[in-house]
Amino acid sequence: MSGISRRLLVATSLSLTAFLALALIAATHQVSDLDRQTRALVHLIRLPGLDAGMNGISALGENYGLIPLIALGVAIVWRSSRRWALILPLLMAGTGVLQLVAKWAIDRPRPNLAAWGFPSGHVLSLVVFFGLMTYLLAMSTMTRSRRRLGYVGCSAIVLAVAFSRLYLDAHWISDVAGGLTLGLAYLLLTIFLVERLAAGRLAAVVRLDSEAQVQLADDEGRGADVDPIAEPV
């Protein structure tokens, strides 16, 4: 196993452990002091003029925001990595299933008393989407300055949506953290499995090609060792 694979597994384990710890607390339907304090701080900066903007930012995590975002992502990634372009829609569909199962299992109310608050599905989905974009940027041949600009843009969008969910009183800060950690664990595990499978297939192709070349060389060698048959005059 390569060093990158080991790091991916370690990061996956840490993210999953953090999510499970948050989920166990959320399952008791208790709200921590940090949740309450964060909510109080966010309320201090609430202004009527910001409501429309926050709703617009939050819409990126809704189905009608995610579908065009996924389509755009596939179009962008297709030229550089058709494998990931095909996986992206399936990956994002998995986030929907994952968040529904987690919300159903935990069933903790939101700050506005609506049901199914933990984890934040908006944050989970966008962490997976923009996390994958960040990974593909890191693997690309773009200049370092362009990659850094992409990293900042992806991070800024995820943070803006996360804040909008707090601002709109749709989630506690622990709900947001739950979406972040579960999304990271899911994404990192997917990257590990996909790249591991791709590396295995490449190694198999190289091995078969090498065996074919050895077999061809042996056949040519045996042909050269055979004495030519003298033809009668």
Side-chain angles (χ1 to χ4, degrees):
M1 185 182 296
S2 68
I4 293 178
S5 296
R6 282 194 293 270
R7 287 194 290 271
L8 282 171
L9 281 181
V10 170
T12 300
S13 300
L14 291 174
S15 299
L16 185 57
T17 301
F19 169 76
L20 292 175
L22 291 166
L24 287 174
I25 296 172
T28 65
H29 291 197
Q30 294 181 358
V31 178
S32 68
D33 290 338
L34 178 61
D35 283 321
R36 294 190 180 92
Q37 291 168 4
T38 304
R39 186 189 186 200
L41 287 173
V42 172
H43 280 188
L44 291 176
I45 60 173
R46 293 191 69 175
L47 297 171
L50 293 177
D51 291 354
M54 288 297 165
N55 277 301
I57 293 172
S58 182
L60 282 174
E62 299 285 353
N63 288 335
Y64 55 81
L66 285 172
I67 291 174
L69 195 63
I70 294 168
L72 178 61
V74 169
I76 293 173
V77 174
W78 182 261
R79 180 174 295 181
S80 60
S81 177
R82 293 189 178 182
R83 179 176 71 246
W84 279 111
L86 294 173
I87 291 172
L88 178 56
L90 300 176
L91 179 68
M92 296 306 296
T95 64
V97 175
L98 200 59
Q99 65 180 278
L100 284 176
V101 172
K103 286 176 179 291
W104 172 82
I106 305 300
D107 193 25
R108 185 174 74 170
R110 302 166 186 261
N112 58 15
L113 301 182
W116 287 13
F118 182 93
S120 169
H122 285 62
V123 174
L124 191 161
S125 298
L126 293 176
V127 161
V128 171
F129 180 85
F130 286 106
L132 179 60
M133 294 300 110
T134 299
Y135 170 74
L136 294 177
L137 274 173
M139 296 295 104
S140 72
T141 57
M142 288 185 180
T143 61
R144 182 176 299 179
S145 60
R146 288 188 176 182
R147 290 201 303 269
R148 287 177 177 174
L149 183 61
Y151 302 155
V152 171
C154 291
S155 301
I157 293 173
V158 172
L159 290 174
V161 172
F163 179 76
S164 75
R165 303 305 288 165
L166 299 174
Y167 180 93
L168 297 171
D169 221 18
H171 288 294
W172 301 104
I173 187 67
S174 56
D175 297 340
V176 171
L180 171 66
T181 52
L182 182 57
L184 278 176
Y186 174 58
L187 173 65
L188 293 173
L189 180 60
T190 301
I191 291 174
F192 169 79
L193 293 174
V194 170
E195 297 298 355
R196 183 88 169 174
L197 181 60
R201 287 182 175 178
L202 179 61
V205 169
V206 171
R207 184 172 61 254
L208 289 173
D209 183 63
S210 177
E211 291 174 355
Q213 290 181 6
V214 170
Q215 183 64 39
L216 180 61
D218 289 344
D219 292 343
E220 291 177 349
R222 284 194 296 269
D225 292 338
V226 176
D227 294 331
I229 300 174
E231 294 182 0
V233 178

